[in-house]
Amino acid sequence: MRNALSVDVEDWFQVGAFERTIDRADWDGLAHRVERNTDAVLDLFAQAGVSATFFTLGWVAERYPALMRRIVDAGHEVASHGYDHARVFTFTPDQFRADLRKARGLLEDASGQAVTGYRAPSFSIDPRTPWAHAILAEEGYRYSSSVAPIRHDHYGWPDSPRFAWKPVKDAELVELPVTTAKWGKRTLAAGGGGFFRLLPYGFSRWAIRQVNEQAGRPAIIYFHPWEIDPGQPRVAGAPLRSRLRHYSNLSVMADKLRRLTRDFAWTRVDALADEEAACAA
């Protein structure tokens, strides 16, 4: 079974964990590492022979348009991660639409590829934003991968479906949630990111196999380019919990990703969108 591999392309200072510590106005004056780290991801994927979806900030595409072309030329999909990682619930509906349009314009101009997929920063489409999916459908998006059907202190919509669902009646848009696993009655986060980096690799392998073999569905996994960069700057003023989450196990992430690409079959998110839409609730 083919699973979907995805990369949320943002720099080390743009993550949700540091949003109250690092001001957006200071971003351009910080050490940018997103280009070199994303190139390292492209090399890793090329060696493994896999294709993936790169959910990219418009802010990154604006500054590194040649990187967008390299992603496309390597056979990957460029999709939207919004403009500057602002969470959806911080917007009004009109502001969200404007953010979508700004990011998409930058991504399409830089990549030369139509952008049909979207992932909300920090999986921030949840019960607070009942209008967000409707706007995505109106703007012509084919799919969203913006919901984490779990409980988490930073995000989550635990009552939402675990697998593909149609959030807007009579629209083609399909929501493709990141992967979760079941342990008894509990729903466990297993979609990648910090969970993949911090937990033993065997947990992720077990979770993906459970989804593939017991549920008969593909897994949707994500990570960030900064997660393979143990030399990135340290943010001393951030909360301890944020620093522990962000910096732990950076040195082992690349090897874990190589194991992941060997153990399962991978493709782009858009390659699974139609198949999953046919199964959507």
Side-chain angles (χ1 to χ4, degrees):
M1 179 174 291
R2 296 184 307 163
N3 300 287
L5 190 56
S6 59
V7 186
D8 289 0
V9 181
E10 59 204 50
D11 219 326
W12 60 272
F13 48 80
Q14 296 173 315
V15 301
F18 298 151
E19 64 188 358
R20 296 180 180 178
T21 307
I22 301 175
D23 195 302
R24 279 177 169 76
D26 297 331
W27 283 2
D28 275 318
L30 298 173
H32 293 189
R33 299 171 73 90
V34 67
E35 184 176 33
R36 51 157 283 179
N37 290 337
T38 305
D39 280 332
V41 172
L42 289 171
D43 289 343
L44 189 154
F45 286 170
Q47 293 168 15
V50 301
S51 56
T53 293
F54 287 69
F55 291 100
T56 306
L57 294 180
W59 189 97
V60 173
E62 189 173 32
R63 287 156 179 79
Y64 301 101
L67 176 62
M68 301 301 101
R69 289 300 314 176
R70 292 198 294 277
I71 292 170
V72 171
D73 290 345
H76 306 293
E77 177 193 14
V78 170
S80 177
H81 200 34
Y83 176 69
D84 65 352
H85 214 261
R87 301 186 195 224
V88 175
F89 54 74
T90 68
F91 291 132
T92 66
D94 286 344
Q95 289 170 335
F96 178 57
R97 192 186 300 274
D99 185 82
L100 285 176
R101 291 180 177 178
K102 181 177 183 178
R104 188 185 222 169
L106 290 164
L107 291 164
E108 291 186 340
D109 286 348
S111 69
Q113 182 186 79
V115 169
T116 62
Y118 174 78
R119 174 169 288 156
S122 301
F123 302 105
S124 54
I125 290 183
D126 60 27
R128 290 171 288 186
T129 55
W131 38 263
H133 279 124
I135 292 174
L136 286 167
E138 291 165 6
E139 292 296 310
Y141 281 85
R142 178 184 174 197
Y143 73 85
S144 164
S145 183
S146 302
V147 174
I150 60 167
R151 296 187 187 278
H152 188 279
D153 58 341
H154 283 293
Y155 56 80
W157 188 348
D159 296 328
S160 62
R162 288 182 61 215
F163 299 110
W165 52 291
K166 291 289 189 69
V168 182
K169 184 179 180 180
D170 299 325
E172 294 300 316
L173 179 75
V174 61
E175 175 61 44
L176 304 174
V178 290
T179 287
T180 56
K182 296 296 287 186
W183 183 264
K185 295 182 178 180
R186 294 185 63 188
T187 299
L188 306 177
F195 297 101
F196 178 74
R197 178 165 41 88
L198 296 172
L199 296 176
Y201 175 73
F203 170 80
S204 294
R205 184 175 55 200
W206 164 79
I208 295 170
R209 285 177 176 169
Q210 183 193 85
V211 169
N212 288 173
E213 297 170 9
Q214 296 182 21
R217 303 297 284 270
I220 298 175
I221 303 297
Y222 78 100
F223 68 98
H224 308 86
W226 56 261
E227 290 187 276
I228 63 168
D229 180 14
Q232 65 188 268
R234 267 43 181 177
V235 182
L240 177 61
R241 177 183 289 187
S242 297
R243 284 182 280 139
L244 287 173
R245 285 176 172 172
H246 188 87
Y247 298 118
S248 295
N249 286 354
L250 295 175
S251 62
V252 304
M253 186 66 168
D255 285 341
K256 292 178 80 171
L257 287 169
R258 292 186 185 97
R259 292 185 67 184
L260 192 73
T261 60
R262 290 195 299 265
D263 287 349
F264 299 95
W266 299 100
T267 191
R268 300 158 34 145
V269 180
D270 63 343
L272 295 181
D274 288 341
E275 298 171 21
E276 285 297 279
C279 301

